[in-house]
Amino acid sequence: MNFRHTMKVRRTVTAVVIASGLLLTVAGCGGGDDGGGEKNTSSSAPAKDDSGDGKQESQAPQSDTVLAEVKGQDGLTLAITSAKRDGGGFVTVEGTVTNNTGKVWVAADWRSDETELAKNAGSISGASLIDQEGKKKYLILRDTSGRCLCTQFTGGVRDGNTTQWYAQFPAPPDGTTKVDFQVGAMPPASIELSEG
């Protein structure tokens, strides 16, 4: 009786192990696309370097549109690629900054003079939108902790690199479609606002 019970248990365990193995095999074989269709790539994976020189390109927005571009002293270039009104009553401005100064650029002169925003060292917190027709200047929005709703250039931007930035402002009145973007000693950049 004992021998028969042991054999029954062994057969049951063997059947469970085989069934589990088959289930894992089927699960491993299904779900993959063996070609023909588009490759499914993750946006967080680094881009392949096809140039053969081993260098990776700087991260820059994949936008073909440049609304405005201004050049500052010593080889700093600011480009604006987007200026959209958002439903919450604010404007988000985005773009890139390219550092060709020959040294690390830390955005010290781009931060705000306001004491509450002084903790945003190395940021674009000193940027503003100027409505020439309405004669108003719009400063960067901040959160309840006093941090700007803008890019912090942590660690600076190395020479030869391009990095993305963004800044959020209160929205000018609906009739205002053109504003000037100003930051630091950079020349003002005239931009058209679009609806988001």
Side-chain angles (χ1 to χ4, degrees):
M1 192 89 169
N2 199 6
F3 177 74
R4 214 181 294 172
H5 180 65
T6 303
M7 288 305 291
K8 190 175 184 181
V9 169
R10 282 187 183 169
R11 274 186 249 142
T12 305
V13 169
T14 303
V16 168
V17 170
I18 291 172
S20 297
L22 289 173
L23 185 63
L24 289 174
T25 303
V26 170
C29 290
D33 186 6
D34 291 334
E38 289 185 26
K39 288 185 178 177
N40 198 6
T41 58
S42 170
S43 62
S44 63
K48 283 187 178 177
D49 179 26
D50 294 330
S51 64
D53 62 4
K55 294 179 184 175
Q56 278 194 316
E57 291 185 32
S58 301
Q59 292 180 343
Q62 299 302 316
S63 174
D64 294 334
T65 307
V66 174
L67 301 177
E69 185 175 274
V70 292
K71 296 184 185 294
Q73 296 177 323
D74 303 324
L76 200 64
T77 304
L78 172 95
I80 300 172
T81 57
S82 174
K84 292 183 181 174
R85 290 179 181 270
D86 295 316
F90 54 91
V91 171
T92 302
V93 182
E94 297 175 314
T96 61
V97 62
T98 303
N99 177 16
N100 288 315
T101 64
K103 58 188 176 191
V104 175
W105 174 76
V106 294
D109 63 336
W110 283 19
R111 69 175 178 220
S112 176
D113 292 334
E114 295 177 68
T115 53
E116 187 170 323
L117 289 176
K119 61 182 108 178
N120 294 290
S123 72
I124 196 168
S125 62
S128 60
L129 291 182
I130 300 164
D131 175 5
Q132 297 288 356
E133 282 187 25
K135 302 191 184 318
K136 287 190 178 180
K137 181 177 183 177
Y138 298 90
L139 303 178
I140 277 201
L141 294 169
R142 62 189 96 170
D143 66 14
T144 54
S145 300
R147 290 185 298 264
C148 72
L149 298 180
C150 66
T151 297
Q152 306 264 339
F153 299 104
T154 307
V157 179
R158 295 181 189 274
D159 181 45
N161 283 3
T162 297
T163 191
Q164 298 179 29
W165 59 265
Y166 82 96
Q168 291 185 323
F169 302 89
D174 288 340
T176 303
T177 57
K178 191 172 184 178
V179 292
D180 291 338
F181 179 87
Q182 174 73 52
V183 65
M186 300 295 281
S190 292
I191 53 175
E192 294 278 338
L193 298 179
S194 63
E195 298 298 323

